[in-house]
Amino acid sequence: MEPSDHELVSRARGGEVVAFEQLVRRYDRKVLSIASLYARDEEDAKDIYQEAFLRVYRGLPGFRGKSQFSTWLYRVVTNVCLSHQRKAMRVRHVSLEGDERGQAAAATLTAGETPEQLFGDAEISRHVSDAVAALPDRQRLVFILRHFQDLKLSEIADTMHLTEGAVKKYLHLAVRKLRVQLQRVFEL
Amino acid sequence: MQHDRFIEWLYLSVFDELGEDEGRRLDEHLRSCADCSQEREKIVRMLDSITASGVAEPSQEMLASARQSLRAALWKESLTQAAMRRPSGGESFLGRLLGSARGYGLGLAGAAAVCIGFFLGYIAFRGAPAVSPLPQQEPTVNGLYAGISNVRFLDTGAIDGEVDITYDQFRPVRLRAPVDDPRVQDVLAYALLNDENPGVRLRAIRAFESEPSGAPPEEMKQAFLTAFNSDPNAGVRLQALLVLRRLPFDEDIKNMLLFALSHDANPGIRIAVMNYLAEITLEGIMPEEEMYDIMSTRAAADQSESASRRANDT
């Protein structure tokens, strides 16, 4: 039988590296998925993935198991995502570049051909990625956690230290923006 | 406008996140409002299409690469953590000096700082790097050598099993000790994973080949696995494989071999892995059916003609 998260955490806290590796393997696809949807750039996503697991590794001695391991992990991942974004913003400010993600998504969506001619599978994926990436940070995270990770709004609120009302608002705004961004791609 | 009143509920309803009362009222509205009803269908279709687009699935290559980097980062992290857990008996010279100075007040601390200044000045400006004796009080095993740089091998121990190394760790250090000495193994592991010079990384592995028991501690094995899996230099990866061949075959090694078989860019390494797998199959360590499956897949998928042929032959 597979050991529970709780058991693996206790063993990892006792210094058992293999137990920590098992925890990583159990969740790292999800973490990388969140990171790549959030950051878009592959290297940034891998940075977020690594930083999140390093923070978890460092934080294990202080983790008392009051919340589930997965909730704690998601909390760490969202914090890393948000702080990573702040760092990226600082770099952009220094280099005098604007936030081009939204513009890029909009530009591709106003191209002149019909969706069937314009979009193959890879193209559709790219447009979806662009549209998700163009969402403001918190809206993007809420949407990723709800739609792709299937977390309940109450869990997202707990993870992101927000009220449930705020999470609802972010989700609503995110979906509405995606609806506008992707209407030509999916002929909505 | 009535749609505006229901629009937020509409968006939330597709995620099944509406309360019972809100849901009932929205349903009533949808029955009488074709626009909202149609809008809801479009949102559901959009979300389904977003899921089907596969954007949430990172590629196997990306996952493997992220895992590799994480493994190396965790290794470094464990070095740092072990260094921070340094026992009080092994407290550094600087720590002991400053610690004792605290007890005598600022005056002594100032004097200590002046002494350190002279000491650092002496280290920085003296001529040839002096060689220090084998550090007696240096804490051992894995991790207490963080901050190592400039590793040089005077003797890799091929003849007498004693490795002779110089390196810098705040000061020049020379260490001559058997290769199974934990202090030597710490420096070897650190050099293997961190030194920029592939020649040094290669010699770090070769030095281990004189290890008499052939059974390294787990941390050393992990260093070989990491080097085999992620070193940019094919020669270093091959040398790491040669050491791994001497260790008892287990799941860690097996997984790493299978990963290399499908991901290592160098056909020579892939062929070396096939040879290794063939060998352990002959020895009965790996089941023949499993070996057959692996090699059939490689024979069909390998881009290199020679590697594909080797898989076929195997």
Side-chain angles (χ1 to χ4, degrees):
Chain A
M1 200 175 83
E2 285 280 297
S4 66
D5 284 0
H6 183 71
E7 189 186 334
L8 290 174
V9 167
S10 325
R11 282 165 45 194
R13 286 180 64 193
E16 212 179 301
V17 179
V18 177
F20 186 71
E21 280 178 6
Q22 269 184 278
L23 280 170
V24 170
R25 293 271 167 160
R26 191 169 284 180
Y27 288 102
D28 74 342
R29 277 174 194 279
K30 289 182 176 183
V31 170
L32 192 59
S33 169
I34 294 170
S36 55
L37 283 162
Y38 184 83
R40 198 64 220 289
D41 177 81
E42 191 168 314
E43 290 308 311
D44 284 348
K46 287 195 277 189
D47 283 350
I48 289 172
Y49 165 97
Q50 182 170 311
E51 178 62 23
F53 279 115
L54 278 177
R55 284 193 196 181
V56 167
Y57 182 74
R58 289 177 196 137
L60 270 181
F63 179 65
R64 298 278 170 250
K66 283 180 185 166
S67 59
Q68 300 224 353
F69 173 77
S70 56
T71 307
W72 178 48
L73 175 63
Y74 280 125
R75 192 173 296 151
V76 172
V77 175
T78 53
N79 284 337
V80 174
C81 282
L82 291 170
S83 59
H84 189 86
Q85 186 58 33
R86 279 193 291 274
K87 269 190 247 171
M89 288 294 284
R90 278 201 295 276
V91 171
R92 271 199 292 276
H93 285 156
V94 169
S95 65
L96 300 178
E97 287 173 21
D99 184 353
E100 292 169 350
R101 288 179 310 184
Q103 293 163 20
T108 48
L109 291 172
T110 52
E113 295 148 276
T114 63
E116 307 86 72
Q117 291 166 329
L118 192 59
F119 308 125
D121 285 349
E123 277 289 282
I124 286 174
S125 293
R126 194 172 63 77
H127 283 295
V128 171
S129 298
D130 283 345
V132 173
L135 295 172
D137 301 344
R138 288 180 192 280
Q139 290 177 29
R140 189 171 357 135
L141 265 179
V142 167
F143 180 74
I144 290 169
L145 293 175
R146 181 65 191 90
H147 182 66
F148 293 107
Q149 300 299 324
D150 215 19
L151 262 61
K152 302 301 286 180
L153 294 190
S154 55
E155 293 172 305
I156 298 172
D158 187 27
T159 299
M160 294 180 68
H161 299 294
L162 295 168
T163 63
E164 212 172 311
V167 175
K168 280 185 180 174
K169 197 80 194 164
Y170 284 136
L171 183 64
H172 161 221
L173 290 172
V175 176
R176 206 159 72 174
K177 282 179 188 159
L178 290 173
R179 163 87 172 80
V180 173
Q181 291 275 11
L182 296 171
Q183 63 182 347
R184 287 191 65 250
V185 179
F186 295 132
E187 296 182 86
L188 300 170
Chain B
M1 192 177 161
Q2 201 171 25
H3 307 301
D4 290 341
R5 184 179 157 202
F6 288 101
I7 204 81
E8 185 171 343
W9 290 359
L10 194 69
Y11 284 103
L12 291 174
S13 71
V14 295
F15 292 101
D16 206 16
E17 292 283 4
L18 271 191
E20 205 175 311
D21 182 51
E22 293 163 331
R24 189 178 43 75
R25 287 165 65 190
L26 179 66
D27 283 344
E28 276 173 21
H29 173 72
L30 291 178
R31 274 195 289 275
S32 60
C33 178
D35 285 351
C36 282
S37 188
Q38 205 176 23
E39 178 66 8
R40 191 179 188 284
E41 274 173 33
K42 285 180 178 176
I43 296 166
V44 170
R45 187 146 51 88
M46 176 186 78
L47 292 174
D48 287 347
S49 302
I50 288 175
T51 306
S53 72
V55 289
E57 281 298 315
S59 67
Q60 275 303 323
E61 287 74 21
M62 185 181 176
L63 184 65
S65 157
R67 282 175 175 171
Q68 261 181 39
S69 308
L70 177 63
R71 203 174 294 125
L74 284 171
W75 168 264
K76 285 184 187 172
E77 182 68 20
S78 69
L79 290 183
T80 312
Q81 286 194 1
M84 288 166 71
R85 283 196 298 270
R86 180 187 295 232
S88 57
E91 196 180 359
S92 67
F93 166 74
L94 195 65
R96 284 202 301 272
L97 187 55
L98 290 178
S100 61
R102 261 180 239 123
Y104 295 99
L106 282 175
L108 269 181
V114 170
C115 289
I116 293 166
F118 278 121
F119 177 69
L120 292 177
Y122 168 71
I123 293 288
F125 293 108
R126 68 188 162 163
V131 162
S132 68
L134 185 66
Q136 293 301 315
Q137 292 300 315
E138 289 289 342
T140 55
V141 185
N142 308 310
L144 302 174
Y145 281 81
I148 286 175
S149 62
N150 203 22
V151 178
R152 293 290 173 268
F153 286 85
L154 303 178
D155 181 356
T156 54
I159 297 172
D160 59 1
E162 285 227 327
V163 179
D164 199 352
I165 319 168
T166 63
Y167 56 92
D168 294 344
Q169 190 187 20
F170 312 116
R171 59 187 168 134
V173 174
R174 179 171 174 178
L175 176 59
R176 183 172 179 88
V179 71
D180 55 356
D181 186 307
R183 290 165 299 185
V184 171
Q185 294 191 345
D186 276 339
V187 180
L188 294 183
Y190 198 88
L192 174 57
L193 295 176
N194 294 283
D195 205 289
E196 286 180 4
N197 184 338
V200 171
R201 301 199 299 273
L202 205 55
R203 280 192 284 280
I205 301 174
R206 284 191 182 137
F208 188 79
E209 286 177 342
S210 58
E211 211 276 334
S213 72
E218 181 60 25
E219 292 82 358
M220 200 69 205
K221 182 184 134 190
Q222 291 301 328
F224 292 134
L225 287 170
T226 303
F228 173 58
N229 193 214
S230 57
D231 198 289
N233 184 292
V236 175
R237 295 201 301 278
L238 189 59
Q239 197 68 36
L241 178 62
L242 294 177
V243 173
L244 289 170
R245 284 178 74 149
R246 296 172 51 201
L247 309 185
F249 187 71
D250 61 14
E251 276 297 301
D252 281 348
I253 295 178
K254 182 179 158 189
N255 289 338
M256 208 58 83
L257 292 175
L258 296 182
F259 181 84
L261 212 47
S262 47
H263 289 91
D264 200 298
N266 188 302
I269 300 277
R270 300 200 298 275
I271 290 173
V273 170
M274 289 175 203
N275 292 340
Y276 178 22
L277 289 172
E279 206 173 279
I280 58 169
T281 307
L282 281 176
E283 289 168 12
I285 297 170
M286 185 179 231
E288 279 185 19
E289 304 77 46
E290 192 176 357
M291 175 70 175
Y292 180 81
D293 287 346
I294 294 167
M295 291 306 157
S296 321
T297 311
R298 279 331 296 163
D302 208 298
Q303 300 287 315
S304 153
E305 197 182 321
S306 53
S308 171
R309 200 167 345 125
R310 177 68 184 114
N312 210 21
D313 294 347
T314 309

